[in-house]
Amino acid sequence: MKELGLWPNWRLREPVAAGAAVEATLAADARATPAINPLADGSPAPQARARTIKDATSALPLDARAAAIAQMDWPQLKESVAACIACPLHKGRNKTVFGVGDEHAEWLFVGEGPGADEDAKGEPFVGQAGKLLDNMLVAISLKRGRNVYIANIVKCRPPGNRNPEPAEAGRCEPYLHRQIALIKPRLIIALGKVAAVNLLRRDASIASLRGKVHEYRNISLIVTYHPAYLLRSLPDKAKAWEDLCFAVETMKTLQSTKPIPI
Ligand code: SF4
């Protein structure tokens, strides 16, 4: 709570109730990569199959790529992301940042993309913003890796920590969709505007999206501020705390009334 800047005044109460540029890059990548159907199952050997999947999906058009990724299991998905060259962000990355946590978590936190620390380590939210996120989790009796999964809209670091372009987010989207389908979380917390806009597919301010339960593919979704923003904006930490309390109360409702989405 001290880390959140809320102690000792705040306490959890009792229940109150693809753009053209990307396609050009893909075409170039496709020329450099053997075009193999990722779903063709001659399956000679596991490693060869993994190479086939990761190479082929990067070169596929959007719909075919999404369909291929939607069939992947966890190991295939991780292999595919690790070697993905489906958008220009792959050129500047050190490591892809797949996501981390409990693959059967009820809570899914989604940020926008890796920063420098995450790019170096290959794990989401490991810098100062990550510490704050961990403290936010502790404040509502959660812990990274235990009933919590953390992912981003894009798996590679945008240069200069800029927001991902819509085309980049669009190319990466099938990965997050597949992660969500495999995890089957009860509640998604969108951290910041980029995550919220991409998941909800509508442009709106954080202020207008907070305090409501939205839906992403029949999964409840709540919007709050990105921890990196909260590090720069102390007054909004109190609002983030309100959002976390709202999320806790929402989860209680979901656990008592709603089956985990399939
Ligand atoms: Fe592939 Fe996503 Fe990285 Fe782009 S950001 S190269 S789509 S993993």
Side-chain angles (χ1 to χ4, degrees):
M1 297 297 293
K2 282 181 180 175
E3 293 293 334
L4 277 167
L6 300 171
W7 186 87
N9 298 320
W10 292 87
R11 182 176 304 169
L12 182 61
R13 295 189 190 121
E14 289 303 306
V16 288
V22 171
E23 294 301 336
T25 299
L26 289 173
D29 290 339
R31 285 193 292 276
T33 307
I36 306 168
N37 179 355
L39 299 181
D41 204 357
S43 297
Q47 282 196 340
R49 179 175 170 75
R51 276 197 298 277
T52 300
I53 291 167
K54 67 192 183 187
D55 288 341
T57 55
S58 288
L60 291 172
L62 274 178
D63 287 351
R65 172 175 157 76
I69 292 171
Q71 302 300 314
M72 292 181 180
D73 59 20
W74 280 113
Q76 291 169 336
L77 200 58
K78 289 171 185 174
E79 288 280 351
S80 182
V81 168
C84 181
I85 53 170
C87 88
L89 294 183
H90 78 88
K91 294 174 183 170
R93 75 180 176 221
N94 287 305
K95 290 184 178 174
T96 54
V97 179
F98 181 79
V100 69
D102 180 350
E103 293 175 355
H104 304 287
E106 292 180 302
W107 294 80
L108 171 65
F109 290 77
V110 180
E112 62 182 63
D117 294 326
E118 290 78 13
D119 176 65
K121 285 198 171 180
E123 184 174 333
F125 289 96
V126 293
Q128 286 303 310
K131 284 182 186 164
L132 178 55
L133 177 59
D134 287 341
N135 288 327
M136 291 164 72
L137 295 177
V138 169
I140 53 172
S141 302
L142 293 175
K143 187 178 179 185
R144 181 185 292 238
R146 194 176 65 200
N147 203 20
V148 170
Y149 197 93
I150 303 170
N152 279 315
I153 293 294
V154 291
K155 314 295 189 195
C156 302
R157 183 191 181 197
N161 291 341
R162 65 162 169 76
N163 291 342
E165 299 287 346
E168 295 160 351
R171 289 299 290 179
C172 212
E173 186 177 57
Y175 287 135
L176 181 59
H177 283 181
R178 187 57 184 154
Q179 284 175 300
I180 294 173
L182 289 167
I183 296 168
K184 303 184 183 67
R186 286 189 191 273
L187 182 60
I188 299 172
I189 309 295
L191 299 167
K193 181 169 178 176
V194 171
V197 164
N198 278 282
L199 289 169
L200 296 175
R201 294 190 178 282
R202 67 186 170 104
D203 194 7
S205 67
I206 291 285
S208 69
L209 295 172
R210 288 180 55 243
K212 300 170 189 160
V213 181
H214 306 271
E215 287 234 327
Y216 165 87
R217 296 188 170 189
N218 292 324
I219 302 170
S220 297
L221 184 150
I222 285 173
V223 175
T224 190
Y225 297 97
H226 192 285
Y229 167 78
L230 293 174
L231 290 172
R232 305 188 302 268
S233 176
L234 288 176
D236 283 332
K237 282 186 179 176
K239 294 179 186 172
W241 177 239
E242 290 173 11
D243 296 337
L244 291 177
C245 294
F246 179 56
V248 168
E249 295 309 315
T250 301
M251 178 61 95
K252 287 178 186 170
T253 306
L254 296 173
Q255 285 170 330
S256 63
T257 62
K258 201 170 179 180
I260 290 181
I262 299 173

